[in-house]
Amino acid sequence: MPNLSKTGQLKELEGRHSLLLRLVELSVTLNSTLDLDELLQLITATATELLECEASSILLYDEKNPRLFFAAATGSDPAKLAEIPVPIDSSLAGTIFRTNKPLILNNAEQDPRHYAPVSDHIKFKTNTLLGVPMPIKDRTMGVLEAVNKRDGAFTDSDVATLSVIAAHAAIAINNARLLRTTQQALEKVKVTNQIKSNFLSLASHELRTPLGIIIGYATFLQEGAKGESSDHANQVLGAASQMRSLLDQMNNLTLLQADEMEMRPIRISIQDVLNFAVDEIKYFAARRDLSLVLDFQETPIFVKVDAEKTALAFVNLLNNAIRFSPEGSEIVIGAAEQGKQVVAWIQDHGIGIPSDKLQKIFEEFYQIEPPNTRHYGGLGIGLTIAKGLIEAQDGKLWAESDGALTFPNASGRIRFAL
């Protein structure tokens, strides 16, 4: 007898050891699987195996329609099971969910809480049932059930095993749900961005032809016009030129977003690049009585960049400075070598930028002012394009400001390093 007792104890220890190993293996697998459907099938299959029963099922709580629904079950069609709403107030699963306590029924069909429509719908007879809640943080997300123990009745040991499975399953299911929600949100953002990019590309392309006709006729009228007619022609040309500039901006943004902007780097001095940009905008600066001050040495500071694209970036930055600078003020354009980098900057005395907006101003279509009460024009993509052009050449562009929007003469700088 003593030998048999020791043998029995040894077998029991071996059984517990095997069960623990299986639970650890399940935990590792659950934590490495983020596909929700695969997780649900794995959980029910493992529960059926470890509890040595005919089937197991997962019922999850539907927050939009307060009820439980079958998410998975061994040997049954999940879609067919999902058709069956399980009431919380008059079912075994609902009792487990409400009380947040395990429940063993070794004569399930005789219990008044047994929800017969489920068995009738899937043609399955429930004799014995064990159900445990699935806890996640401070709430219960559902119920894990094991049905029809193959050998005898469900025990407290089975409750402990199924509770461990349910706890791990709840975390894994919650993580998979979060991932699925995130993926769906990202997909919506991706689709929205694609629609926006398609619109920008289409608009910039389709508007060029009628705009070219307007510019052509305005130029023809300007050549023979005098007095008031000449002024009208000039206004049309000015408006058309502004529209063409906006279309160019839209096209550049589309190319940057699609990563199709072609760069042709050459060795050139940063002073030449800045002078190109200044020549491009000095007329607009003069119209607002703004002084453009060059703050860099005469000795060339060479960089290897796409001269045209880098000058365009600076034109966008200067246009932004001109738009927000008070009339009669000055804008400083500077450059210097700092170690192995070349740093260039534009400094103005405009309205300033709040510290929490210094990064947001480079986001596409972002405007510091509310759209319905804004005093300054622009689409809000000039700085986005400038940042994209600089970063496409492995440079860095950032903003600094000594003031906020309430300070009319704040000192602000936009710098980039190459």
Side-chain angles (χ1 to χ4, degrees), residues 89-134:
D89 57 352
S90 58
S91 65
L92 290 170
T95 301
I96 298 166
F97 181 81
R98 283 186 289 106
T99 62
N100 198 31
K101 293 180 180 179
L103 182 64
I104 296 178
L105 288 176
N106 286 316
N107 192 4
E109 287 201 324
Q110 300 304 314
D111 193 289
R113 295 167 297 182
H114 175 60
Y115 193 58
V118 176
S119 299
D120 297 339
H121 191 73
I122 62 174
K123 304 296 187 290
F124 185 88
K125 184 178 180 181
T126 301
N127 298 316
T128 59
L129 179 143
L130 165 59
V132 298
M134 300 175 65

Coordinates of all heavy atoms in Angstrom, one line a residue, residues 89-134:
D89 N -29.5 38.6 -17.7 CA -30.3 38.5 -16.4 C -31.0 37.1 -16.3 O -31.6 36.8 -15.3 CB -31.4 39.6 -16.4 CG -32.3 39.6 -17.6 OD1 -32.0 38.9 -18.6 OD2 -33.3 40.4 -17.6
S90 N -31.0 36.3 -17.4 CA -31.7 35.0 -17.3 C -31.0 33.9 -18.0 O -31.6 33.1 -18.7 CB -33.1 35.2 -17.9 OG -33.0 35.6 -19.3
S91 N -29.6 33.8 -17.8 CA -28.8 32.7 -18.4 C -27.7 32.4 -17.4 O -27.3 33.2 -16.5 CB -28.3 33.1 -19.7 OG -27.4 34.2 -19.6
L92 N -27.2 31.2 -17.6 CA -26.0 30.8 -16.7 C -24.8 31.7 -17.0 O -24.2 32.1 -16.0 CB -25.7 29.3 -17.1 CG -26.7 28.2 -16.6 CD1 -26.3 26.9 -17.2 CD2 -26.7 28.2 -15.1
A93 N -24.5 31.9 -18.2 CA -23.4 32.8 -18.6 C -23.6 34.2 -18.0 O -22.7 34.8 -17.5 CB -23.2 32.9 -20.1
G94 N -24.9 34.7 -18.1 CA -25.2 36.0 -17.5 C -25.0 36.0 -16.0 O -24.5 37.0 -15.4
T95 N -25.3 34.9 -15.3 CA -25.2 34.8 -13.9 C -23.7 34.9 -13.5 O -23.3 35.6 -12.6 CB -25.7 33.5 -13.3 OG1 -27.2 33.5 -13.6 CG2 -25.5 33.4 -11.8
I96 N -22.8 34.2 -14.3 CA -21.4 34.2 -14.0 C -20.9 35.6 -14.3 O -20.0 36.1 -13.5 CB -20.7 33.2 -14.9 CG1 -21.2 31.8 -14.6 CG2 -19.2 33.3 -14.8 CD1 -20.8 30.8 -15.7
F97 N -21.3 36.3 -15.3 CA -20.9 37.6 -15.7 C -21.3 38.6 -14.6 O -20.5 39.4 -14.2 CB -21.5 38.0 -17.1 CG -21.1 39.3 -17.6 CD1 -19.8 39.5 -18.2 CD2 -21.9 40.5 -17.4 CE1 -19.4 40.8 -18.6 CE2 -21.5 41.7 -17.8 CZ -20.3 41.9 -18.4
R98 N -22.5 38.5 -14.2 CA -23.0 39.5 -13.2 C -22.4 39.4 -11.8 O -22.0 40.3 -11.2 CB -24.6 39.4 -13.0 CG -25.4 40.0 -14.2 CD -26.8 40.0 -13.9 NE -27.4 38.6 -14.0 CZ -27.8 37.9 -12.9 NH1 -27.6 38.4 -11.7 NH2 -28.3 36.7 -13.1
T99 N -22.2 38.1 -11.4 CA -21.7 37.9 -10.0 C -20.2 37.9 -10.0 O -19.6 38.0 -9.0 CB -22.2 36.5 -9.5 OG1 -21.7 35.5 -10.4 CG2 -23.7 36.5 -9.5
N100 N -19.6 37.7 -11.2 CA -18.1 37.7 -11.3 C -17.5 36.5 -10.5 O -16.5 36.6 -9.9 CB -17.5 39.0 -10.9 CG -16.0 39.2 -11.4 OD1 -15.7 38.7 -12.5 ND2 -15.2 39.8 -10.6
K101 N -18.3 35.4 -10.5 CA -17.8 34.2 -9.8 C -18.0 33.0 -10.6 O -18.9 32.9 -11.5 CB -18.7 34.1 -8.5 CG -18.5 35.2 -7.5 CD -19.3 34.9 -6.2 CE -19.1 36.0 -5.2 NZ -20.0 35.8 -4.0
P102 N -17.1 32.0 -10.4 CA -17.2 30.7 -11.2 C -18.5 30.0 -10.8 O -19.1 30.2 -9.7 CB -16.0 29.9 -10.7 CG -15.1 30.9 -10.1 CD -15.9 32.0 -9.5
L103 N -18.9 29.1 -11.7 CA -20.2 28.3 -11.5 C -20.0 26.9 -12.0 O -19.6 26.8 -13.2 CB -21.4 29.0 -12.1 CG -22.7 28.4 -11.9 CD1 -23.1 28.4 -10.5 CD2 -23.8 29.1 -12.8
I104 N -20.3 25.9 -11.2 CA -20.3 24.5 -11.6 C -21.7 24.0 -11.6 O -22.4 24.1 -10.5 CB -19.4 23.7 -10.7 CG1 -17.9 24.1 -10.7 CG2 -19.5 22.2 -11.1 CD1 -17.0 23.3 -9.8
L105 N -22.1 23.4 -12.7 CA -23.4 22.7 -12.7 C -23.2 21.4 -13.3 O -22.9 21.2 -14.5 CB -24.4 23.5 -13.6 CG -24.9 24.8 -13.0 CD1 -25.8 25.5 -14.0 CD2 -25.7 24.6 -11.7
N106 N -23.3 20.3 -12.5 CA -23.2 19.0 -13.0 C -24.5 18.3 -13.4 O -24.6 17.1 -13.6 CB -22.4 18.1 -12.0 CG -21.0 18.5 -11.9 OD1 -20.3 18.7 -12.9 ND2 -20.4 18.7 -10.7
N107 N -25.6 19.2 -13.4 CA -26.8 18.8 -14.0 C -27.5 20.0 -14.6 O -28.5 20.5 -14.2 CB -27.7 18.2 -12.9 CG -29.0 17.5 -13.5 OD1 -29.1 17.4 -14.7 ND2 -29.9 17.1 -12.6
A108 N -26.8 20.5 -15.7 CA -27.1 21.8 -16.2 C -28.5 22.0 -16.8 O -29.2 23.0 -16.6 CB -26.1 22.1 -17.3
E109 N -29.0 20.9 -17.5 CA -30.3 21.1 -18.1 C -31.5 21.2 -17.1 O -32.5 21.7 -17.5 CB -30.6 19.9 -19.0 CG -29.7 20.0 -20.3 CD -30.3 19.1 -21.4 OE1 -30.9 18.0 -21.1 OE2 -30.3 19.5 -22.6
Q110 N -31.2 20.8 -15.9 CA -32.3 20.9 -14.9 C -32.3 22.3 -14.2 O -33.2 22.6 -13.4 CB -32.1 19.8 -13.8 CG -32.2 18.4 -14.4 CD -33.5 18.1 -15.1 OE1 -34.6 18.5 -14.6 NE2 -33.4 17.5 -16.3
D111 N -31.3 23.1 -14.4 CA -31.2 24.4 -13.8 C -32.0 25.4 -14.6 O -32.0 25.5 -15.8 CB -29.7 24.9 -13.8 CG -29.5 26.1 -12.9 OD1 -30.0 27.2 -13.2 OD2 -28.9 25.9 -11.8
P112 N -32.9 26.1 -13.9 CA -33.8 27.1 -14.5 C -33.0 28.2 -15.3 O -33.6 28.9 -16.2 CB -34.6 27.7 -13.4 CG -33.8 27.4 -12.2 CD -33.1 26.2 -12.4
R113 N -31.7 28.4 -14.9 CA -31.0 29.4 -15.6 C -30.3 29.0 -16.9 O -29.7 29.7 -17.7 CB -29.8 29.9 -14.7 CG -30.3 30.6 -13.4 CD -29.2 30.8 -12.4 NE -28.7 29.5 -12.0 CZ -27.8 29.4 -11.0 NH1 -27.2 30.4 -10.5 NH2 -27.4 28.2 -10.7
H114 N -30.5 27.7 -17.2 CA -29.9 27.1 -18.4 C -30.7 27.7 -19.6 O -31.9 27.7 -19.7 CB -30.1 25.6 -18.5 CG -29.7 25.0 -19.8 ND1 -28.4 25.1 -20.3 CD2 -30.4 24.3 -20.7 CE1 -28.3 24.5 -21.5 NE2 -29.5 24.0 -21.7
Y115 N -29.9 28.3 -20.6 CA -30.5 29.0 -21.7 C -30.7 28.0 -22.8 O -29.8 27.8 -23.7 CB -29.7 30.2 -22.1 CG -30.3 31.2 -23.0 CD1 -31.5 31.8 -22.7 CD2 -29.8 31.5 -24.2 CE1 -32.1 32.7 -23.5 CE2 -30.4 32.4 -25.1 CZ -31.6 33.0 -24.7 OH -32.2 33.9 -25.6
A116 N -31.9 27.4 -22.9 CA -32.1 26.4 -23.9 C -32.0 26.7 -25.3 O -31.6 25.9 -26.2 CB -33.5 25.8 -23.6
P117 N -32.3 28.0 -25.8 CA -32.2 28.3 -27.2 C -30.8 28.0 -27.8 O -30.7 27.8 -29.0 CB -32.5 29.8 -27.2 CG -33.5 30.0 -26.0 CD -33.0 29.1 -25.0
V118 N -29.8 28.1 -27.0 CA -28.4 27.9 -27.5 C -28.3 26.4 -27.9 O -27.9 26.1 -29.0 CB -27.4 28.2 -26.5 CG1 -26.0 27.8 -27.0 CG2 -27.4 29.7 -26.1
S119 N -28.7 25.5 -27.0 CA -28.6 24.1 -27.3 C -29.5 23.7 -28.5 O -29.1 22.9 -29.3 CB -29.0 23.3 -26.0 OG -28.1 23.5 -25.0
D120 N -30.7 24.3 -28.5 CA -31.6 24.0 -29.6 C -31.1 24.5 -30.9 O -31.2 23.8 -32.0 CB -33.0 24.6 -29.3 CG -33.7 24.0 -28.1 OD1 -33.3 22.9 -27.7 OD2 -34.5 24.7 -27.5
H121 N -30.4 25.6 -30.9 CA -30.0 26.2 -32.2 C -28.8 25.4 -32.8 O -28.7 25.3 -34.0 CB -29.5 27.7 -31.9 CG -29.3 28.5 -33.1 ND1 -30.3 28.9 -33.9 CD2 -28.1 28.9 -33.7 CE1 -29.8 29.6 -35.0 NE2 -28.4 29.6 -34.8
I122 N -27.9 24.9 -32.0 CA -26.8 24.2 -32.5 C -26.9 22.7 -32.3 O -25.9 22.0 -32.6 CB -25.5 24.7 -31.8 CG1 -25.5 24.4 -30.3 CG2 -25.2 26.2 -32.1 CD1 -24.2 24.8 -29.6
K123 N -28.0 22.2 -31.8 CA -28.3 20.8 -31.7 C -27.2 20.2 -30.8 O -26.6 19.1 -31.1 CB -28.3 20.1 -33.0 CG -29.3 20.7 -34.0 CD -30.8 20.5 -33.5 CE -31.8 20.9 -34.6 NZ -31.8 22.4 -34.8
F124 N -27.0 20.7 -29.6 CA -26.0 20.2 -28.7 C -26.6 20.1 -27.3 O -27.2 21.1 -26.8 CB -24.8 21.2 -28.6 CG -23.6 20.7 -27.8 CD1 -22.7 19.9 -28.4 CD2 -23.5 21.1 -26.5 CE1 -21.6 19.4 -27.6 CE2 -22.5 20.6 -25.7 CZ -21.5 19.8 -26.3
K125 N -26.5 19.0 -26.7 CA -27.0 18.7 -25.3 C -26.0 19.0 -24.3 O -24.9 18.4 -24.3 CB -27.5 17.3 -25.2 CG -28.2 17.0 -23.9 CD -28.8 15.6 -23.8 CE -29.5 15.3 -22.5 NZ -30.0 13.9 -22.4
T126 N -26.4 19.9 -23.3 CA -25.4 20.3 -22.2 C -25.8 19.5 -21.0 O -26.9 19.6 -20.4 CB -25.5 21.8 -21.9 OG1 -25.2 22.5 -23.1 CG2 -24.6 22.2 -20.8
N127 N -24.9 18.6 -20.5 CA -25.1 17.8 -19.3 C -24.5 18.5 -18.1 O -25.1 18.7 -17.1 CB -24.6 16.4 -19.5 CG -25.3 15.7 -20.6 OD1 -26.6 15.8 -20.7 ND2 -24.6 15.0 -21.5
T128 N -23.2 18.7 -18.2 CA -22.4 19.4 -17.2 C -21.8 20.7 -17.7 O -21.4 20.7 -18.9 CB -21.3 18.5 -16.6 OG1 -20.4 18.1 -17.6 CG2 -21.9 17.2 -16.0
L129 N -21.6 21.7 -16.8 CA -21.1 22.9 -17.3 C -20.2 23.6 -16.2 O -20.6 23.6 -15.0 CB -22.2 23.9 -17.7 CG -21.8 25.3 -18.2 CD1 -22.7 25.7 -19.3 CD2 -21.9 26.3 -17.1
L130 N -19.1 24.1 -16.6 CA -18.3 25.0 -15.7 C -18.0 26.3 -16.4 O -17.6 26.3 -17.6 CB -17.0 24.3 -15.5 CG -15.8 25.1 -14.9 CD1 -16.3 25.7 -13.5 CD2 -14.5 24.3 -14.7
G131 N -18.3 27.4 -15.8 CA -18.1 28.7 -16.3 C -17.3 29.6 -15.4 O -17.6 29.5 -14.2
V132 N -16.4 30.4 -15.9 CA -15.7 31.3 -15.1 C -15.6 32.7 -15.8 O -15.7 32.8 -17.0 CB -14.2 30.8 -14.9 CG1 -14.2 29.5 -14.1 CG2 -13.5 30.7 -16.2
P133 N -15.6 33.8 -15.0 CA -15.5 35.1 -15.6 C -14.1 35.3 -16.2 O -13.1 34.7 -15.8 CB -15.7 36.0 -14.4 CG -15.3 35.2 -13.2 CD -15.6 33.8 -13.5
M134 N -14.1 36.3 -17.2 CA -12.9 36.7 -17.8 C -12.5 38.1 -17.4 O -13.1 39.0 -18.0 CB -13.0 36.6 -19.4 CG -13.3 35.2 -19.8 SD -13.6 35.1 -21.6 CE -12.0 35.5 -22.3

